[in-house]
Amino acid sequence: MNRPESLEKLKSEEFDICIIGAGASGAGCALDAVLRGYKVALIDKKDFAAETSSRSTKLIHGGVRYLEQAFKKLDFAQLKQVRHGLEERHIVLKNAPHLARPLALMTPVSSWIEGLYFKIGLQIYDAFATNDTLPKSKWLTKKEVLAKIPTLDSRKLHSGVLYYDGQLDDARYCLAIVQSTAEAGGTVANYMEVNGFGRDTLGKLNVVNATDTRSGAQCAIRAKLVINCTGPFADHIRLLANPLLSERLRPSKGVHVVLPAATLNSEYAMLIPKTSDGRVVFAIPFEGATMIGTTDTDYGDVSSEPTLNESEKKYLADTLNPYLAKPIKLEELKAGFGGLRPLLAADPVKSTKSLVRDHEVETDEKSGLISLLGGKWTTYRLMAKDTIDEADRFFSKNNSCTTDSCILAGGENFSSESWHQLATTYDLPEDISRHLTKKYGSRAGKVAALTVNDNSLKTRLLAELSYIQAEAIYTIRHEMAMTLRDFFARRIRLEITGWNETLKALPVVADLMARELEWSGDQKQREISEYRDLIMKFISDAKSV
């Protein structure tokens, strides 16, 4: 992943396929296409997974709520979505074992009738998961539940139903797909914003005009086929290709709050089945913190980043607090984040929470643009398969999809115990070795190796955390990190788990990035100021309605 080399290729070569949008769906399409033998370009106007794909609930799941709705409303579209999700779940877990793992989720219940209801429902959920090895659901006693999540209020607890789904580091998982695409021969570049298209004599797209937003340089990318994978922003690209198309998307905002790990004091996650608006909410351990979410509200202005506000904080706190022995206080908030779901809306009257998270592959006959619309993280690979099957039809080919068996970058020969060797070889503390192994998988040694000739790179970014300076250098050289936010938000995830910690570590990371990327003194100060202002805005927005 060398950005200057990629930019040169984008300018000088012709591609079979240019994919716009490098979130989960776009990266998935790029990997599938390059493995089928196509010459592929993958670009994004921001960083890889900068939008929806880094702001999920971090679950790999079929959707227990969708299953409930399917039976309550006899909605077979919901049932199909659950089946697809559970079919894909084991593949997502298998293909990047360093970034995805099984997660135990507890559903507290207040009576035996409620317990029976959830036990039956989750047994059906288990039955749909025919291809994986996750443990089956169990109905646990009150004592067993409290042993696993000791912060629950024992006075309101009757028992609990335990079940399993998967958890992933969404931004780094997407990055691993992008890395795998590049290593298989694809050309990938972030910070390339599309501003128009060139067309052949029949009006079909054959050039993607883009601007390198880091330098301002223009680039005309020649491609035989263009695929739009821009999630909640897909209508913008569709209308740029053909202004006569009608809008298809109904973006929905979902936010999460992040609280101290002591909130649950457990490795177990929690599903809250009763909320004031009929949704389910999750409380999940993630990166040494507790993440609670999500909400679901209409969001019309996709040009502005969705942020957390006071009323959303209060909703999530009010949803969790009835289950806790010691209610959380809003001032305990460590961080929060918002994201947009790319929901397809056939019915503009329906609430967003009732819309199915399924996907559709659309081909515009006038421009030739293929758009992948809708979907969710768990089914990204299936979404990509359907899209590249359509690309095969365009090229009159019938290639096989092999992404189900493609181990992603960092997953090759991965062992969760390899941190022992890392600690011994590079004289690193256990917590740092475990952290590097979890984040970079079988490539953790490449990060640690940077410290051999520069021992200062072993220095922690913050004394109380496991991140080290070598990671900033590695992510620039090998993961195309271009900005402070790329590093903090998506390479190490500190932005979404601790705003104050991010601000504290900002100066030292800025020094490292300035040196590596050859920023001038003015640019370094500008990068620091812009990112600090953004974090301060998040903090301010979280205190206002």
Side-chain angles (χ1 to χ4, degrees):
M1 289 180 61
N2 182 300
R3 192 168 186 271
E5 289 181 5
S6 291
L7 295 182
E8 188 56 40
K9 289 181 180 179
L10 291 176
K11 292 174 186 175
S12 61
E13 299 182 7
E14 183 182 22
F15 297 88
D16 295 320
I17 302 172
C18 178
I19 297 169
I20 306 168
S25 59
C29 284
L31 179 59
D32 194 342
V34 78
L35 291 179
R36 297 194 200 197
Y38 293 112
K39 187 174 182 179
V40 177
L42 173 68
I43 60 173
D44 196 288
K45 71 174 181 179
K46 293 185 179 178
D47 187 27
F48 310 114
E51 299 288 353
T52 300
S53 293
S54 62
R55 304 179 192 184
S56 74
T57 310
K58 324 301 181 206
L59 288 177
I60 313 161
H61 64 124
V64 291
R65 182 171 66 87
Y66 309 149
L67 182 66
E68 184 180 35
Q69 293 298 317
F71 283 100
K72 280 185 175 179
K73 299 179 180 180
L74 297 178
D75 186 340
F76 293 106
Q78 298 269 19
L79 204 60
K80 183 178 77 169
Q81 180 70 358
V82 174
R83 181 173 59 81
H84 285 164
L86 291 176
E87 285 174 351
E88 290 297 307
R89 185 177 67 180
H90 77 285
I91 297 175
V92 178
L93 288 166
K94 171 178 66 74
N95 286 1
H98 58 307
L99 298 171
R101 56 197 58 84
L103 178 69
L105 295 103
M106 186 74 70
T107 304
V109 296
S110 57
S111 68
W112 72 267
I113 294 176
E114 191 177 51
L116 182 62
Y117 176 79
F118 285 112
K119 175 56 179 165
I120 292 171
L122 288 167
Q123 279 184 321
I124 296 171
Y125 191 68
D126 289 341
F128 273 85
T130 56
N131 295 319
D132 64 30
T133 57
L134 294 186
K136 302 303 181 184
S137 59
K138 296 178 182 179
W139 193 355
L140 303 182
T141 66
K142 176 178 177 176
K143 182 178 180 181
E144 290 173 321
V145 173
L146 291 172
K148 290 175 169 54
I149 308 181
T151 56
L152 294 179
D153 187 347
S154 62
R155 297 168 299 174
K156 301 177 182 178
L157 186 68
H158 173 272
S159 55
V161 180
L162 180 69
Y163 76 102
Y164 287 80
D165 262 324
Q167 183 178 38
L168 81 168
D169 182 335
D170 51 6
R172 289 204 62 86
Y173 201 108
C174 181
L175 178 67
I177 303 171
V178 175
Q179 286 178 294
S180 300
T181 299
E183 291 168 12
T187 300
V188 304
N190 48 6
Y191 295 99
M192 297 295 291
E193 183 171 9
V194 175
N195 49 50
F197 296 104
R199 303 167 195 269
D200 63 18
T201 55
L202 299 176
K204 307 294 186 183
L205 306 183
N206 65 358
V207 174
V208 177
N209 294 315
T211 302
D212 177 355
T213 61
R214 297 299 295 171
S215 69
Q218 302 299 306
C219 182
I221 305 167
R222 292 175 293 145
K224 299 169 187 173
L225 178 66
V226 180
I227 299 179
N228 171 22
C229 294
T230 53
F233 312 97
D235 279 338
H236 171 71
I237 298 297
R238 292 173 66 247
L239 295 173
L240 202 60
N242 181 359
L244 300 179
L245 291 173
S246 59
E247 294 186 353
R248 297 290 313 281
L249 291 166
R250 177 99 171 271
S252 161
K253 174 187 178 183
V255 303
H256 298 77
V257 298
V258 179
L259 295 160
T263 305
L264 290 185
N265 191 25
S266 175
E267 294 181 356
Y268 288 75
M270 184 173 144
L271 182 151
I272 303 170
K274 292 180 180 178
T275 65
S276 58
D277 62 351
R279 291 182 48 76
V280 297
V281 166
F282 295 94
I284 298 174
F286 182 74
E287 298 287 323
T290 300
M291 186 176 70
I292 308 170
T294 180
T295 58
D296 195 333
T297 54
D298 270 310
Y299 196 78
D301 183 15
V302 296
S303 63
S304 63
E305 179 172 345
T307 57
L308 175 70
N309 63 40
E310 179 77 14
S311 63
E312 291 162 336
K313 281 168 55 180
K314 187 174 184 303
Y315 164 78
L316 291 171
D318 288 349
T319 298
L320 178 61
N321 276 339
Y323 295 88
L324 298 178
K326 180 185 177 183
I328 57 174
K329 298 176 182 177
L330 294 182
E331 53 266 30
E332 296 175 9
L333 179 79
K334 288 172 57 67
F337 58 95
L340 297 179
R341 301 177 186 87
L343 302 181
L344 282 168
D347 183 355
V349 178
K350 277 188 175 182
S351 68
T352 54
K353 70 184 179 188
S354 67
L355 297 177
V356 179
R357 271 63 170 166
D358 214 340
H359 67 276
E360 178 184 323
V361 180
E362 173 197 77
T363 300
D364 173 37
E365 295 300 330
K366 181 179 179 182
S367 67
L369 177 73
I370 293 177
S371 294
L372 173 53
L373 307 173
K376 65 174 189 173
W377 236 118
T378 304
T379 55
Y380 89 89
R381 194 199 67 84
L382 179 63
M383 293 156 56
K385 177 184 181 301
D386 291 347
T387 306
I388 305 306
D389 283 348
E390 188 68 21
D392 270 353
R393 285 186 278 273
F394 173 85
F395 287 106
S396 300
K397 293 186 177 181
N398 186 24
N399 295 308
S400 297
C401 173
T402 60
T403 52
D404 60 338
S405 58
C406 177
I407 303 301
L408 300 176
E412 321 92 333
N413 304 310
F414 172 73
S415 167
S416 59
E417 297 303 309
S418 62
W419 69 266
H420 291 285
Q421 183 177 354
L422 202 67
T424 301
T425 303
Y426 298 100
D427 190 26
L428 291 170
E430 178 179 335
D431 69 310
I432 291 175
S433 299
R434 285 183 179 274
H435 156 69
L436 294 177
T437 300
K438 187 177 177 182
K439 276 279 177 283
Y440 306 93
S442 55
R443 303 181 182 198
K446 295 183 178 180
V447 184
L450 294 171
T451 68
V452 172
N453 294 322
D454 186 350
N455 200 57
S456 70
L457 294 179
K458 289 183 179 179
T459 307
R460 296 173 189 262
L461 297 183
L462 292 172
E464 68 272 21
L465 299 176
S466 303
Y467 311 110
I468 60 173
Q469 292 187 14
E471 294 177 78
I473 305 301
Y474 180 83
T475 58
I476 291 168
R477 293 180 183 176
H478 301 285
E479 297 181 350
M480 220 177 276
M482 299 295 297
T483 71
L484 291 164
R485 194 174 193 194
D486 292 348
F487 179 72
F488 282 110
R490 291 173 288 276
R491 300 304 185 274
I492 67 169
R493 314 316 310 274
L494 186 57
E495 180 190 295
I496 67 168
T497 57
W499 286 330
N500 287 329
E501 291 87 346
T502 298
L503 292 173
K504 289 177 186 175
L506 185 52
V508 66
V509 174
D511 285 344
L512 293 165
M513 294 193 80
R515 184 181 71 196
E516 192 69 18
L517 291 169
E518 299 181 344
W519 289 345
S520 66
D522 286 346
Q523 182 178 359
K524 174 184 165 184
Q525 289 308 312
R526 186 168 61 251
E527 298 277 349
I528 292 174
S529 178
E530 289 178 358
Y531 190 48
R532 182 185 290 122
D533 288 350
L534 181 69
I535 298 297
M536 295 305 295
K537 181 180 185 300
F538 292 159
I539 294 171
S540 175
D541 286 349
K543 295 177 180 177
S544 63
V545 177

